[in-house]
């Protein structure tokens, strides 16, 4: 196999949860979403990988929010849980955990519906 190929893995996770938006003097109704979160991950160059290692890290980050009202879970109890804020927070959390395993999170996308996606490199 050529060493010049760019190789990465793509993982998808579906986060089923509720949230609401806060404004200075009001808030929206609690409403559900199934966020689709896609991560592109690069490994340390090994030909064989243990997929469950990365899947376990991904679950560790997202499980506290699964089937919850996101506004009730840190840091979104004080940070408005917009798609953008969630994407930035989740990317930082995943990056740190993956680096410990010699993996690099190259990109994260998060969609609250099929028409809108927030992308972070």
């Amino acid at each position: 196999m050529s060493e010049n190929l760019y190789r990465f893995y793509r993982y998808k996770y579906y986060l089923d949860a509720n949230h609401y938006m806060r404004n200075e003097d009001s808030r929206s109704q609690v409403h559900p979403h199934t966020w689709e979160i896609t991560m592109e991950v690069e490994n340390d160059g090994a030909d064989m990988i243990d997929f469950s290692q990365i899947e376990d890290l991904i679950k560790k980050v997202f499980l506290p929010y699964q089937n919850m009202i996101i506004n009730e879970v840190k840091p979104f109890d004080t940070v408005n849980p917009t798609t953008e804020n969630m994407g930035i927070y989740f990317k930082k959390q995943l990056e740190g955990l993956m680096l410990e395993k010699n993996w690099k999170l190259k990109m994260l996308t998060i969609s609250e519906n099929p028409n809108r996606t927030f992308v972070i490199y």
Side-chain angles (χ1 to χ4, degrees):
M1 181 180 299
S2 172
E3 295 299 317
N4 294 330
L5 295 176
Y6 177 67
R7 304 179 318 159
F8 65 91
Y9 295 89
R10 182 172 290 146
Y11 291 87
K12 273 192 185 171
Y13 189 86
Y14 293 92
L15 176 61
D16 295 310
N18 298 301
H19 76 152
Y20 57 86
M21 294 292 105
R22 292 183 287 266
N23 297 322
E24 287 183 28
D25 56 354
S26 66
R27 68 176 236 194
S28 68
Q29 294 288 329
V30 174
H31 57 279
H33 285 289
T34 297
W35 282 274
E36 179 180 281
I37 303 161
T38 304
M39 295 137 284
E40 290 187 0
V41 181
E42 191 176 70
N43 74 350
D44 62 0
D47 286 332
M48 288 283 283
I49 64 156
D50 181 356
F51 288 106
S52 64
Q53 273 188 351
I54 297 301
E55 291 165 355
D56 289 346
L57 293 178
I58 291 169
K59 287 177 189 172
K60 182 177 183 176
V61 170
F62 295 120
L63 217 47
Y65 304 94
Q66 193 67 262
N67 300 312
M68 299 294 290
I69 297 175
I70 290 178
N71 304 74
E72 297 175 356
V73 183
K74 289 187 181 292
F76 302 109
D77 56 339
T78 57
V79 174
N80 221 7
T82 63
T83 298
E84 296 82 1
N85 287 340
M86 290 170 58
I88 291 165
Y89 175 77
F90 291 145
K91 184 170 190 290
K92 287 179 184 175
Q93 297 301 304
L94 288 161
E95 279 177 329
L97 291 172
M98 288 184 185
L99 277 176
E100 293 174 11
K101 303 283 186 188
N102 295 322
W103 287 71
K104 294 176 190 157
L105 178 59
K106 303 301 272 184
M107 181 179 71
L108 181 138
T109 67
I110 181 169
S111 305
E112 67 178 24
N113 68 48
N115 298 323
R116 294 189 298 264
T117 301
F118 181 64
V119 180
I120 312 166
Y121 284 95

